[in-house]
Amino acid sequence: MPSQTFDNRRLVGIHAERVTNVSNNEFPGHYPGEDHSWNLEKFKKNLTVTVQRLSQHSIDFDIVGVDASIANAFRRIMMAEVPTVAIEQVFVWNNNSVIVDEILAHRLGLVPLNVDPSLMKMREPDTTPTDQNTLVFNVDITCERNPKAPKGTLNPHELYINSEFLSSHITWTPAGDQEETFAAKRPAPINPNIVLAKLRPGQQINMELHAVKGVGKDHAKFSPVATASYRLLPHIKITKPIPPSKAEKFQKCFSPGVIKIDPRTKEVSVDEKNVRNDSVSREVLRHPEFADSVELSRVRDFFLFNVESEGPYAPERILPEAIKVMREKLAVIRQAALALREKTTTVDTDVVMADS
């Protein structure tokens, strides 16, 4: 038996051919004699956010006590609505490399920049670029033969000067007050070693780049994350003792580290720390001898998030930024609802929703 148990109402049943109890039934009127109306204090008591792992570019954290709609909203906002800064316009003065202008411009737009979006304003369509909404970068690189190349070498890095157009060749040109605004960290690509094009003697690239603030729902280049995903916490319940002779076979039906076998007694148990790593492949249910010995499920309101940051945000900052965006959305909805209520209480006619 697992040491950590959950209310059966919270479990999504995983069977050999089907999934059961997928919907949340904790709403008013479903269970007789029980009050499941939404309560702020109860919500605050049940809600927990726990960081499980944090590195320079990724984070694993758990969100417990929310509906799937809320967890998925956070995931979508992290991918599509947390703003970043990326190259939007490319003015090509000269490019005689083998990479055509359009492909090179597309590659440049996907280069992550280290610019803090909070220091810039959104640039509205058809507005003039300013030092508050646009960053200007320049590229001027020419490939030449290296007169000091070792004799007989075939290495292009030794044969030629500037044999590759790297992201480090993108240089920032300050305008207006930007020198002071970005004094703490000069705008530049996060990774200076991204190869954008390969050059040979006589080939030159000269262009001006304009970077603006945007969001991922407009273009993927503005997404602050490489991946943002979640899954439900696996729950494994051993209902009958597993015979010692079949302990290893049972263990191999799960992801490594999920099932423990006592070396002395051969008793099988679930590792509560590593159960989160199980893929819930249902392999164990394919074997008739184990079909009645284990119950598989997932905890409906226990979300295991994995987020990889590929932009200016530290991994631990992305969720708070997503929450900030959600609060702004809720404020707009609340304002619209109050305005709608005010109109309906004063005028007994249909309300015309004007374009914003």
Side-chain angles (χ1 to χ4, degrees), residues 2 68 88 90 119 136 211-212 259 269-271 289 312 317 334 342-343 350:
E88 175 72 3
V90 178
L119 301 177
V136 177
V212 300
I259 299 298
S269 61
V270 178
D271 190 320
E289 63 268 35
R317 185 181 164 194
R334 182 175 184 274
E342 182 178 340
K343 289 182 179 180
D350 292 339

Side-chain angles (χ1 to χ4, degrees), residues 14-16 252-255 278-286 296 298:
I14 309 295
H15 307 278
K252 291 178 180 179
C253 292
F254 298 87
S255 299
D278 190 50
S279 62
V280 195
S281 65
R282 298 188 253 194
E283 170 67 19
V284 67
L285 301 180
R286 294 180 62 248
L296 305 180
R298 288 184 181 270

